[in-house]
Amino acid sequence: MELKVYADRMSQPSRAILIFCKANGLEFEEVPIQLAKKQHHSPEFAEINPMKQVPAIVHGDFKLFESHAILIYLASAFPGVADHWYPADARKRAKIHSVLDWHHSNLRRGSVGYIFNNTIALAFGLPLNPKAEAEGEKLLLASLSTIESLWLEDGPFLLGNSKPSIADLSLVCEITQLEFADEKDRERILSPHKKVLKWMEDTKKASAPYFEEIHSSMPPGIAQLKALKAQVISQLSASKH
Amino acid sequence: MTLKLYADRMSQPSRAIIIFCKLNGIDFEEVKIDLSRRQHLTPEFREINPMKKVPAMVDGRFKLSESHAILMYLACVFPGVADHWYPADVFTRAKIHSVLDWHHSNLRRGAASYVLNSTLAPALGLPLNPEAAAEGEKLLSASLMKIETVWLKGKGRFLLGSFQPSIADLSLVCEIMQLELVDEKDRERIMGPHPKVLKWIDDTKKATRPHFDEVHSILFKVKEKMKKLQSDGSVGESTRKTSPRSKM
């Protein structure tokens, strides 16, 4: 059965799935859907995912969207995926579900709220929103503290696991979206969280070389967006004088 | 009893789990954590769930938070839970995961924000926020539209075109029930355009009776109390300064 992964490498959950597939040697075709070019709004893509979001997969004639559902499906449907990614043990698995659920309304919501309103909105022709950015940052910081003190309490991976699970991939790929922010902001936000920083490195190593490979697609897009942001900001301050 | 459920029946996800357990004959002790009295902030509850939220579960010494994780765990470890709640089939299960995931940032986010900011806030010692309520309503309406046109597509009466309810139906319907707290005309305005959704709510209630109605009775009691307080004039600007304990 053929596996197609519809993804934009600029999308955090897309990256998590691409890295997972490569790290587990799954055969698949990556179908790029470029959000900045509004390709997710095409009628063809609506057939794949009526919610018009990436990532989405088609496996044979089975369609699926929502990255956590996809990661769980791939871990379950493909033989040869090592147990630590999505353990068969009911209790270990339940804990992974609970951090994946927590993620939606905490790390993801905070991180997206911050980064979107700080920079990424411009890629969609939308204005930056300092108020929403500040709210996002507050939730992002609280979420990083929770990861530092609770989810990574028994380290090195989430939930005291000695090897990474799909939860580690999902959450770390969310945090790497901070590459879109200014370096000094990124430092300010991440540097107080030593365990988080180590965990990100450990997750990168555990899925090497694919983690680096997938993330290497980001810099050109980031540079373009940062240049656009600089332009917008200088236009705004010019219009004030 | 080894299974303990820490819940507040005013909390949508708490209700989903209580109904699920009762329906499936799962023995459990319900430990009430009253959110309006800030019992979720006590050091004792922090030991149970450091996220300080309900619902939370303890099975023996195994602690778990997040309602979807709890529903999935209970469906897996308790014998006698019928397959349709959380089918073993990998494809159907994946689809259930996808609607449960979608729920967090869509129906739940919209509905919870709308109800809190338009109506429930004073009961929790918070001010109403019409701007946030309007934003919440927008997302809520968009989500209901998605349920109407995407999630309820198919031959069956339940989500994903299923012929029998799953944990996803329970979770999402319990969320929508929170709208019982808002003004009837607002509720009609929001729900009216979605006939499939209304039928699905009814079908889910029928499939889970009598527990669904019993567990939801608290909403109607609270609504009466809130109406009384409003007509007495003691809910509104003045309540911002009073302590939460004195309100309910």
Side-chain angles (χ1 to χ4, degrees), chain A residues 64-233:
Chain A
L64 191 64
F65 55 87
E66 282 295 337
S67 68
H68 297 168
I70 293 171
L71 286 165
I72 291 173
Y73 171 76
L74 294 174
S76 308
F78 283 83
V81 173
D83 184 73
H84 62 82
W85 288 110
Y86 187 57
D89 174 72
R91 290 184 170 186
K92 285 189 180 167
R93 190 172 271 202
K95 290 282 189 178
I96 287 175
H97 293 153
S98 112
V99 67
L100 285 173
D101 280 343
W102 171 88
H103 176 45
H104 285 284
S105 315
N106 291 277
L107 178 65
R108 174 147 179 86
R109 186 169 167 174
S111 174
V112 168
Y114 171 67
I115 280 284
F116 187 83
N117 293 296
N118 167 293
T119 307
I120 293 186
L122 297 174
F124 297 92
L126 294 164
L128 300 179
N129 184 334
K131 188 174 162 210
E133 178 194 335
E135 257 180 60
E137 186 180 333
K138 198 170 156 206
L139 181 54
L140 169 58
L141 288 170
S143 303
L144 289 171
S145 290
T146 301
I147 296 172
E148 181 85 6
S149 60
L150 286 165
W151 298 116
L152 286 174
E153 198 178 13
D154 304 312
F157 295 102
L158 296 171
L159 302 162
N161 289 328
S162 56
K163 289 194 185 168
S165 71
I166 53 179
D168 297 280
L169 258 186
S170 175
L171 274 66
V172 171
C173 285
E174 189 66 52
I175 303 175
T176 55
Q177 202 74 340
L178 285 172
E179 291 295 321
F180 277 94
D182 272 342
E183 195 178 332
K184 54 167 177 53
D185 290 322
R186 194 167 58 253
E187 268 277 313
R188 177 174 54 80
I189 289 169
L190 286 178
S191 60
H193 306 101
K194 310 291 180 213
K195 280 184 168 180
V196 168
L197 289 166
K198 177 149 195 324
W199 161 62
M200 290 177 72
E201 268 307 302
D202 288 336
T203 303
K204 191 170 152 179
K205 279 190 196 127
S207 50
Y210 312 105
F211 191 99
E212 189 88 63
E213 184 210 310
I214 297 298
H215 281 83
S216 68
S217 303
M218 288 172 74
I222 293 177
Q224 221 176 29
L225 211 44
K226 280 186 173 174
L228 178 58
K229 182 178 174 180
Q231 217 178 42
V232 166
I233 289 177

Side-chain angles (χ1 to χ4, degrees), chain B:
Chain B
M1 219 163 298
T2 56
L3 181 66
K4 284 188 174 175
L5 213 53
Y6 295 79
D8 182 336
R9 291 184 179 203
M10 284 301 285
S11 134
Q12 311 84 304
S14 289
R15 293 196 295 268
I17 296 173
I18 294 168
I19 294 165
F20 180 80
C21 285
K22 287 178 181 260
L23 259 177
N24 285 287
I26 296 174
D27 252 339
F28 71 101
E29 181 192 339
E30 183 179 342
V31 180
K32 183 172 179 178
I33 301 291
D34 193 332
L35 299 174
S36 69
R37 296 203 168 151
R38 311 227 152 144
Q39 290 177 354
H40 54 305
L41 301 174
T42 65
E44 296 79 33
F45 185 64
R46 221 202 125 95
E47 286 292 305
I48 301 297
N49 183 11
M51 302 298 170
K52 306 179 218 173
K53 294 206 171 146
V54 290
M57 176 210 90
V58 183
D59 183 14
R61 284 184 307 177
F62 178 61
K63 296 176 191 168
L64 194 62
S65 64
E66 285 295 335
S67 68
H68 297 167
I70 293 171
L71 286 165
M72 284 158 32
Y73 173 78
L74 295 173
C76 286
V77 308
F78 281 86
V81 173
D83 183 73
H84 63 82
W85 288 110
Y86 188 50
D89 169 64
V90 72
F91 299 107
T92 321
R93 189 169 273 201
K95 294 277 186 174
I96 287 176
H97 292 153
S98 85
V99 62
L100 286 173
D101 281 341
W102 171 88
H103 176 46
H104 286 282
S105 315
N106 291 276
L107 180 66
R108 171 142 181 87
R109 186 169 169 174
S113 172
Y114 171 67
V115 174
L116 178 72
N117 291 298
S118 70
T119 311
L120 197 55
L124 300 166
L126 297 163
L128 294 176
N129 184 337
E131 203 190 310
E135 249 183 74
E137 185 179 334
K138 202 170 153 203
L139 182 53
L140 167 58
S141 290
S143 303
L144 290 170
M145 184 61 79
K146 289 290 189 211
I147 296 173
E148 184 85 9
T149 57
V150 177
W151 296 118
L152 286 172
K153 243 173 138 166
K155 298 204 173 109
R157 299 172 292 156
F158 298 100
L159 294 171
L160 303 163
S162 297
F163 290 98
Q164 291 193 286
S166 71
I167 53 179
D169 297 279
L170 252 186
S171 174
L172 274 66
V173 171
C174 284
E175 188 65 53
I176 299 175
M177 285 302 289
Q178 205 76 340
L179 288 171
E180 290 295 330
L181 292 169
V182 312
D183 223 76
E184 196 178 330
K185 56 165 175 55
D186 293 318
R187 191 169 66 253
E188 288 225 348
R189 181 188 73 247
I190 293 169
M191 301 294 296
H194 310 290
K196 267 186 161 178
V197 169
L198 289 167
K199 172 116 205 347
W200 160 64
I201 293 171
D202 212 45
D203 287 332
T204 303
K205 279 188 194 178
K206 287 197 182 109
T208 55
R209 54 159 67 123
H211 310 290
F212 190 98
D213 289 326
E214 190 252 307
V215 173
H216 280 88
S217 62
I218 189 173
L219 283 180
F220 302 99
K221 290 188 192 128
V222 166
K223 185 163 187 180
E224 281 309 305
K225 264 192 188 157
M226 283 183 356
K227 268 187 179 161
K228 256 193 175 162
L229 287 171
Q230 258 171 2
S231 61
D232 292 349
S234 46
V235 169
E237 290 298 310
S238 60
T239 58
R240 234 184 283 207
K241 294 180 186 134
T242 55
S243 85
R245 280 172 194 265
S246 61
K247 270 197 258 306
M248 303 295 291

Side-chain angles (χ1 to χ4, degrees), chain A residues 29-45:
Chain A
E29 181 195 337
E30 180 180 350
V31 182
I33 300 288
Q34 288 184 280
L35 301 174
K37 292 187 178 166
K38 307 223 153 125
Q39 291 177 350
H40 53 309
H41 288 162
S42 73
E44 297 78 33
F45 188 64

